[in-house]
Structure formats: C-alpha cells, structure tokens
C-alpha cells in the first residue's frame, strides 16, 4: 500500500510551523459520573501528537466520543475529560475548543488543542461536501491516526483527507496498514487463519474471502459446530446455524479445490449446561450425545492445530476457539494462544474477545501485531478496501 507517512514528513522538516490536524480515536469508556475508566486509546494517540509537537507544528486533535446527535451539544458528549487525562499523561495543559469548524480559534506552533467531539458537527457522519471543504482549510497537513474509524467515510476520516493540502497516515494507522499488508497482501506461506465466534452468519463473508487466499482455515466456537454439522457429525444441543450448512460446505469445497483444508475437530469438550461449574467431558467428535453442549475443542484437536500454527509462515487470529472465560473450557484457546506465541510466523490478531484471550495468557509481546480496530479489522478480513486506505493511497499518488 502506498501512502504518505507523517513520520517521514516530520523527519524531512515539512511539519515545522505547519497547522497539523490529527484525527485520533479517543472514544474511551466512561462511568456514569463521566470519569474515564480505561485510557488505552488516549495513551495510544500520544505518539502522533508528540511527533507533531517535536516537529514544531501547531497541533489540532479531534475524535468522536459516544453517539451524540449532530448539532446538539450535551455535557456528557464533551471531550473535556479526555483533554484532562491527556494533559496529565503529557504533562501540559490542553485546552478544548468548541464550535471550531469555521476556524475561529488560534493554535501556536508547539501548542496542542483538542477540538470538541467531531460527531457534533452537522454533516460529519454523512461526509457532507460543505463540511469537508471547511475542514480542509483548517490545516496544512491532515494526519489520519484512527484505525478504529478507517472503515467509515466520514467528514474527519475521509472528507478532510480529500480537501487538506497534504493527507498522510499517523504512526498508529501506518503500523496497521503495514501489518495488514504483510499478513494479507504479501503473506509468507503457509498462511493460516483462525476464525471463531458464536455465529457463521456474522463471519460468513470473512470465511468466504479467506477461503480464496489461506492455506489453512481453523474454525472455532459456534462456527466450528456448524462446520461439524456440514461434515455429517452430530453436535447435540450445541449452538449452530443449520440453515447455513450450504455455505459452510461451500467454504470447505473452495478450500479443498485449492489443496487447502478446514480441519474439523476430532475431539471436543462437552457439558450438559452452559455454566462455569458444569462438568467437562472430553469426547470423540463422533460420540456427542443429544443433550451435550460443545464448549471447546478437545486436547487431540488442539495439539494438531498447534502443530499447524507452529509450521505457519503467517497467522491471522480472530476469535477464541472455546468458552475460554470458563476454566474447564479454556484449554483449546490457551493451547492455540501458546502455539501462536511460540510460532516463528508473523501473526496479526484482532477483535475484542481475541484481545481478552491474549491478555489472559500474557502473550502480548509474542504476537506480531495486535490490531486496535474491531469493525475495521473485520472488514479488512472480508477483503474490503477501507475508505481511509483508499483515500490516503490516492492522495499519495
């Protein structure tokens, strides 16, 4: 992927004295009193801001927060708590600017201001041309550094990228673009993907897209149950989608035609109830009873899959393969996680439950790249070109 990197502009002295507009993702969780409960996204946004300050730029930062109504300001929609937390982390005072679209504010080189919640601006969600034109006039350089919004063509993620004099990728977005290119555009083979979750329907387009490209497709969770049904196995009262058997069969056939495979579990961990204290029983996949719930892959299956992962060149991971929140049903996900950690493959992982599993097993440093954007990451796996990637590539041409 061709795009301009903000880091290169700074290194070349091209940001000095310039007005730099950074679109960050500062959409952090807050409690009922408005206190920030988790500040990872704020911390992740600081390198781009610091880079701009160090380069001598006048820095403007904006983000969405929550789901405000355009044109209707409410105190709970304000980025003021974010500015306070960012100021603490950066050891500086950061002022918040409201009603900023027409440029009725000033910002000096070496200063950073936080522009109030961009979703309050009329025309932001639908990327209205008149808003995009105004946004482009606010800056000399637009920096997109919010991968979590890269799949949305909105005013501050897309419109401004078309109208600003220069549009580039910040360090966070550039890292995502590099990792995605390495994992999917030019992967070291074999390329193995793990796609797990409760429903085939939510991941069907991902499975169909990956079936054209990967050498091994590991399915887990409720998705694996549907594939077991497609393979003629009984799954008791496990979660599955029988109406999607045709689609599952088609994915298996598409992989087989390319000499690739979708490994079907040969043993599973069952229980009679979905509960943390339910008794776990390991069974051959051919021996699942009518009243069984499959809550994890079995140890034989886990060991075989681990072996495939250790031999892979590239691994894409989206979703735990069992109910890893329950100790009795976490072995499959734990073994998969440890195999990814031990593999010499380049690995990219994304999705909320996947990140939770990575944290639980302490393998953060052993995963090649951990993606921060849920919806954007899934759309990339679906084979879609993200609006942010498309516009930045066009502006770099």
């Amino acid at each position: 992927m061709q795009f301009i990197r903000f880091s290169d502009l700074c290194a070349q002295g091209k940001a000095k004295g310039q007005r730099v507009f950074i679109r960050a993702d500062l959409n952090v969780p807050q409690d009922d009193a408005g206190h920030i409960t988790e500040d990872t996204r704020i911390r992740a946004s600081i390198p781009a801001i610091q880079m701009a300050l160090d380069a001598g730029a006048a820095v403007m930062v904006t983000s969405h927060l929550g789901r405000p109504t355009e044109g209707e300001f409410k105190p709970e929609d304000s980025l003021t708590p974010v500015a306070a937390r960012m100021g603490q982390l950066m050891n500086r005072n950061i002022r918040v600017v409201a009603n900023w679209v027409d440029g009725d504010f000033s910002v000096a080189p070496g200063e950073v201001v936080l522009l109030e919640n961009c979703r309050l601006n009329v025309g932001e969600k639908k990327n209205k041309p008149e808003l995009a034109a105004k946004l482009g006039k606010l800056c000399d350089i637009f920096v997109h550094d919010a991968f979590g919004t890269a799949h949305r063509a909105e005013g501050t993620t897309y419109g401004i990228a078309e109208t600003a004099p220069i549009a580039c990728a910040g360090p966070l977005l550039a890292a995502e673009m590099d990792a995605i290119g390495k994992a999917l555009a030019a992967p070291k083979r074999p390329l193995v993907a793990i796609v797990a979750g409760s429903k085939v329907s939510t991941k069907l387009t991902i499975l169909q897209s990956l079936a054209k490209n990967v050498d091994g497709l590991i399915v887990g969770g409720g998705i694996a149950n549907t594939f077991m049904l497609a393979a003629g196995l009984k799954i008791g009262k496990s979660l599955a989608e029988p109406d999607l058997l045709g689609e599952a069969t088609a994915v298996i056939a598409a992989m087989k035609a390319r000499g690739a495979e979708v490994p079907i579990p040969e043993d599973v961990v069952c229980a009679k109830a979905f509960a943390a204290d339910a008794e776990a029983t390991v069974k051959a996949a051919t021996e699942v009873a009518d009243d069984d719930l499959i809550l994890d892959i079995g140890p034989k299956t886990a060991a075989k899959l681990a072996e495939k992962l250790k031999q892979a060149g590239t691994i894409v991971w989206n979703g735990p393969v069992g109910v890893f929140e329950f100790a009795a049903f976490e072995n499959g996900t734990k073994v998969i996680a440890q195999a990814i950690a031990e593999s010499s493959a380049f690995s990219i992982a994304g999705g909320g439950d996947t990140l939770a599993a990575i944290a639980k097993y302490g393998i953060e440093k052993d995963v090649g790249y951990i993606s921060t954007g849920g919806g954007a990451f899934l759309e990339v796996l679906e084979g879609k070109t993200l609006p942010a990637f498309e516009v930045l590539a066009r502006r770099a041409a």
Side-chain angles (χ1 to χ4, degrees):
M1 275 182 279
Q2 290 298 310
F3 58 94
I4 300 167
R5 296 170 191 268
F6 183 50
S7 56
D8 289 346
L9 296 179
C10 292
Q12 293 157 8
K14 292 179 179 173
K16 188 174 176 62
Q18 300 296 294
R19 298 168 302 154
V20 170
F21 185 114
I22 300 173
R23 174 54 158 102
D25 182 0
L26 306 170
N27 188 26
V28 289
Q30 294 170 286
D31 63 19
D32 293 341
H35 300 123
I36 293 165
T37 55
E38 210 278 324
D39 67 359
T40 302
R41 285 178 172 167
I42 298 174
R43 289 174 183 274
S45 72
I46 290 173
I49 299 166
Q50 194 61 53
M51 188 184 284
L53 292 170
D54 292 346
V59 188
M60 300 161 268
V61 184
T62 195
S63 172
H64 67 292
L65 182 69
R67 298 175 183 274
T69 304
E70 288 187 3
E72 294 178 26
F73 177 79
K74 296 190 192 79
E76 62 265 29
D77 297 328
S78 178
L79 287 175
T80 301
V82 173
R85 182 67 187 128
M86 187 182 282
Q88 285 173 343
L89 292 167
M90 298 186 73
N91 198 24
R92 57 164 58 228
N93 183 45
I94 297 175
R95 77 190 152 93
V96 179
V97 179
N99 305 313
W100 48 270
V101 169
D102 292 315
D104 303 327
F105 66 94
S106 62
V107 53
E111 184 189 9
V112 56
V113 297
L114 197 54
L115 306 179
E116 192 56 279
N117 195 334
C118 59
R119 289 251 174 101
L120 292 166
N121 299 330
V122 175
E124 167 69 12
K125 287 282 284 179
K126 292 192 172 168
N127 185 26
K128 291 287 175 65
E130 50 272 35
L131 174 63
K134 287 182 177 183
L135 294 175
K137 288 177 183 152
L138 293 174
C139 63
D140 302 302
I141 300 170
F142 166 64
V143 181
H144 196 324
D145 206 37
F147 178 67
T149 68
H151 58 313
R152 298 194 178 110
E154 298 179 352
T156 58
T157 63
Y158 192 90
I160 187 173
E162 293 193 295
T163 58
I166 296 171
C168 62
L172 258 187
L173 186 66
E176 292 273 0
M177 293 170 88
D178 289 342
I180 285 163
K182 194 172 172 183
L184 294 171
K188 185 181 173 197
R189 304 232 172 224
L191 167 59
V192 179
I194 303 156
V195 180
S198 52
K199 294 183 171 181
V200 172
S201 50
T202 57
K203 305 263 177 96
L204 181 61
T205 46
I206 294 170
L207 294 166
Q208 290 168 333
S209 175
L210 290 174
K212 297 173 191 155
N213 189 27
V214 301
D215 304 302
L217 181 57
I218 294 170
V219 290
I223 294 174
N225 297 340
T226 303
F227 275 78
M228 285 175 71
L229 272 183
L233 293 163
K234 290 182 177 173
I235 59 163
K237 54 178 185 177
S238 308
L239 178 70
E241 293 172 288
D243 53 328
L244 289 178
L245 289 186
E247 283 80 354
T249 305
V251 167
I252 293 169
M255 291 283 288
K256 199 172 179 183
R258 292 177 41 247
E261 65 163 341
V262 183
I264 303 297
E266 54 185 86
D267 61 340
V268 290
V269 185
C270 298
K272 301 299 182 188
F274 185 86
D277 60 354
E279 189 182 341
T281 311
V282 176
K283 293 189 171 187
T286 51
E287 290 171 8
V288 177
D290 291 345
D291 62 345
D292 274 336
L293 282 171
I294 300 170
L295 300 182
D296 194 12
I297 55 174
K300 262 191 202 168
T301 301
K304 278 200 170 176
L305 297 179
E307 213 43 53
K308 284 188 188 300
L309 293 168
K310 285 175 189 172
Q311 290 164 10
T314 307
I315 299 167
V316 178
W317 183 19
N318 177 244
V321 296
V323 188
F324 76 104
E325 300 88 347
F326 297 165
F329 308 103
E330 72 166 338
N331 185 63
T333 302
K334 189 176 183 179
V335 169
I336 293 282
Q338 286 168 343
I340 292 170
E342 290 165 19
S343 177
S344 60
F346 172 72
S347 51
I348 180 170
D353 288 341
T354 314
L355 302 196
I358 288 169
K360 182 171 183 178
Y361 304 119
I363 62 162
E364 294 93 335
K365 290 185 171 66
D366 303 308
V367 176
Y369 191 80
I370 297 172
S371 178
T372 54
F377 182 68
L378 292 180
E379 289 203 9
V380 166
L381 294 188
E382 283 179 38
K384 293 179 180 173
T385 299
L386 302 186
F389 290 14
E390 174 268 313
V391 73
L392 291 179
R394 185 155 39 90
R395 289 304 310 274

